[in-house]
């Protein structure tokens, strides 16, 4: 079977570092889904507004290898424990497909791009190709008493974040809360948390620079790109 992208996502993450590890965790992050010309027929969107959330099937398009591995080191386990790839959401899979649940915020008709979806809570890089969109159906997709395995161990973890007010004021007000929660979600590899180190990542039109050790993150500069 040959599949092809139906759309691409557009958001504030031009690189992989800093992107939330799971969808739905940071609802303040907004993205636009812009469809390829072939799929802009308005009939394809009929009834979509009745749903609050969507499943996105997409590609880990920035993987730099075609190899997959039977075992991987989940970041949330410190990068030292190996588990089977099918027990993780690692990007290095037999087929580089991702699955995300996002909230549908708006459906708008754009003069240039046709039907455009605004969604929140995506965990995807700007430009990521999307292969399919399906509605989230609560009675079928929400399983009571489901077990989350090792992923439950650190689900409530939040880093302590310090952003000087003069730096935070450089960020547009409607993006500040999203940036704060991205940092609280802690983009660092888990196995490096005991080492004091400097990091940086692009967010919107800015480069966010910070230092971190243990569970403390301190923003040291915000530079317009």
């Amino acid at each position: 079977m040959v599949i092809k992208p139906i759309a691409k996502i557009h958001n504030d993450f031009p690189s992989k570092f800093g992107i939330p590890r799971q969808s739905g965790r940071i609802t303040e992050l907004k993205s636009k889904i812009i469809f390829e010309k072939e799929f802009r027929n308005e009939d394809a969107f009929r009834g979509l507004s009745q749903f609050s959330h969507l499943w996105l099937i997409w590609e880990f398009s920035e993987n730099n290898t075609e190899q997959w591995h039977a075992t991987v080191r989940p970041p949330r386990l410190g990068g030292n424990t190996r588990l089977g790839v099918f027990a993780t959401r690692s990007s290095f899979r037999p087929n580089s497909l991702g699955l995300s649940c996002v909230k549908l915020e708006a459906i708008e008709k754009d003069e240039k791009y046709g039907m455009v979806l605004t969604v929140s809570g995506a965990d995807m890089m700007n430009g990521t190709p999307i292969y399919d969109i399906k509605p989230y159906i609560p009675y079928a997709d929400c399983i009571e008493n489901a077990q989350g395995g090792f992923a439950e161990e650190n689900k409530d973890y939040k880093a302590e974040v310090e952003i000087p007010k003069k730096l935070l004021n450089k960020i547009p007000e409607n993006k500040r809360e999203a940036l704060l929660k991205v940092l609280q979600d802690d983009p660092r590899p888990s196995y490096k948390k005991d080492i004091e180190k400097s990091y940086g990542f692009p967010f919107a039109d800015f480069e966010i620079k910070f230092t971190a050790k243990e569970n403390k993150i301190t923003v040291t500069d915000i530079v317009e790109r």
Side-chain angles (χ1 to χ4, degrees):
M1 180 176 68
V2 177
I3 60 175
K4 57 184 178 182
I6 64 169
K8 288 184 179 178
I9 200 159
H10 295 262
N11 59 28
D12 290 325
F13 288 103
S15 69
K16 293 187 289 184
F17 189 73
I19 296 174
R21 290 185 172 90
Q22 303 292 344
S23 62
R25 287 181 61 84
I26 304 178
T27 56
E28 290 80 5
L29 290 173
K30 301 297 191 293
S31 302
K32 299 281 187 183
I33 296 176
I34 296 179
F35 290 81
E36 302 295 334
K37 289 183 179 180
E38 181 181 354
F39 303 102
R40 294 177 184 175
N41 188 324
E42 289 185 43
D43 288 340
F45 302 85
R46 189 183 303 169
L48 190 62
S49 62
Q50 298 177 33
F51 297 91
S52 65
H53 291 74
L54 305 173
W55 289 110
L56 306 181
I57 300 171
W58 49 279
E59 180 187 0
F60 290 102
S61 55
E62 292 301 302
N63 280 358
N64 55 13
T65 177
E66 295 182 358
Q67 293 182 336
W68 72 279
H69 304 281
T71 61
V72 296
R73 295 186 174 96
R76 284 306 192 200
L77 292 182
N80 297 314
T81 303
R82 281 195 171 274
L83 291 177
V85 65
F86 299 130
T88 77
R89 296 191 178 187
S90 168
S91 59
F92 298 102
R93 320 188 66 78
N95 294 297
S96 295
L97 295 178
L99 178 67
S100 297
C101 184
V102 298
K103 183 179 180 182
L104 177 60
E105 299 285 354
I107 305 174
E108 300 170 300
K109 186 175 181 180
D110 182 85
E111 186 175 333
K112 181 178 180 181
Y113 297 112
M115 304 302 288
V116 175
L117 307 184
T118 301
V119 300
S120 61
D123 56 344
M124 302 154 64
M125 181 177 163
N126 183 59
T128 293
I130 297 172
Y131 288 100
D132 204 359
I133 295 174
K134 299 177 186 290
Y136 176 93
I137 301 175
Y139 81 84
D141 295 340
C142 182
I143 310 299
E144 292 186 11
N145 302 316
Q147 297 182 19
F150 72 88
E152 295 285 327
E153 294 179 13
N154 297 304
K155 67 177 183 178
D156 296 321
Y157 169 81
K158 286 185 178 180
E160 178 185 350
V161 177
E162 180 181 336
I163 308 178
K165 188 174 181 179
K166 66 178 182 178
L167 295 180
L168 185 61
N169 287 341
K170 293 183 177 182
I171 302 294
E173 189 172 355
N174 65 337
K175 296 182 183 291
R176 292 174 191 172
E177 188 67 18
L179 174 61
L180 175 62
K181 291 190 175 181
V182 166
L183 291 167
Q184 287 178 336
D185 206 40
D186 204 338
R188 293 174 294 163
S190 296
Y191 56 88
K192 291 186 177 180
K193 287 181 180 174
D194 60 339
I195 304 171
E196 186 168 10
K197 189 176 178 181
S198 297
Y199 298 87
F201 66 94
F203 174 78
D205 297 321
F206 303 89
E207 183 76 18
I208 312 300
K209 299 182 180 182
F210 66 93
T211 59
K213 185 177 182 181
E214 302 297 344
N215 70 334
K216 177 73 177 292
I217 288 176
T218 303
V219 174
T220 57
D221 203 2
I222 295 179
V223 181
E224 192 167 355
R225 295 190 293 120

